[in-house]
Amino acid sequence: MLAALAEARAALATSDVPIGAVVVDEAGTVLATGRNAREADADPTGHAEVLALRTAARGRDSWRLDGCTLVVTLEPCTMCAGAAVLSRVDRVVFGAWDPKAGAVGSLWDVVRDRRLNHRPEVVAGVLADESTALLEEFFATHR
């Protein structure tokens, strides 16, 4: 989560919401990192999770990320939760809850939907205070 927080802080330089993500393999080796780049790239899909999952898949030369963990500073939205399911990650670890758009237990629970063919384990609240503080600091200066 510390690496994801570092990615989130780096997003601040581009005026993007400070959300960071990391994909690690079974041994805990970092395969990819990502930070929000919606503003920087004018890309509505430029979420930290999607960017990290894309990079990890390219590095493995496979869209299947079996055995991997997606670590992100904020609870994933529906798009990112869906990407986690479709990429077949074993687990999703996140920091802060997102009651307005979260799809891993807050507003929706996409990753545990029994109708889907894959359901990653969820670990919530890891370094939640640090993740929340970064977001609160950002929004205090942008609203």
Side-chain angles (χ1 to χ4, degrees):
M1 185 59 79
L2 293 175
L5 281 164
E7 286 297 314
R9 285 185 196 94
L12 291 170
T14 63
S15 297
D16 274 289
V17 176
I19 300 170
V22 178
V23 177
V24 298
D25 67 11
E26 303 90 335
T29 303
V30 173
L31 300 178
T33 61
R35 66 184 73 123
N36 267 13
R38 290 188 320 166
E39 298 296 331
D41 295 345
D43 179 1
T45 67
H47 290 207
E49 303 94 310
V50 169
L51 299 175
L53 291 167
R54 284 179 186 160
T55 302
R58 274 190 225 111
R60 277 195 156 184
D61 199 27
S62 173
W63 62 268
R64 292 180 181 268
L65 297 175
D66 307 86
C68 292
T69 299
L70 171 65
V71 181
V72 61
T73 57
L74 181 66
E75 178 185 3
C77 69
T78 53
M79 176 181 68
C80 295
V85 169
L86 293 173
S87 68
R88 308 295 196 271
V89 295
D90 282 4
R91 81 194 42 76
V92 175
V93 175
F94 68 88
W97 289 94
D98 185 355
K100 292 183 180 179
V104 185
S106 287
L107 194 55
W108 295 285
D109 202 351
V110 171
V111 297
R112 292 187 200 110
D113 191 320
R114 297 218 175 269
R115 295 169 293 182
L116 299 175
N117 64 343
H118 180 73
R119 288 179 295 283
E121 172 190 2
V122 175
V123 179
V126 177
L127 296 180
D129 291 342
E130 293 85 340
S131 298
T132 300
L134 191 57
L135 290 163
E136 287 175 346
E137 178 184 323
F138 173 81
F139 285 113
T141 61
H142 284 81
R143 289 195 172 149

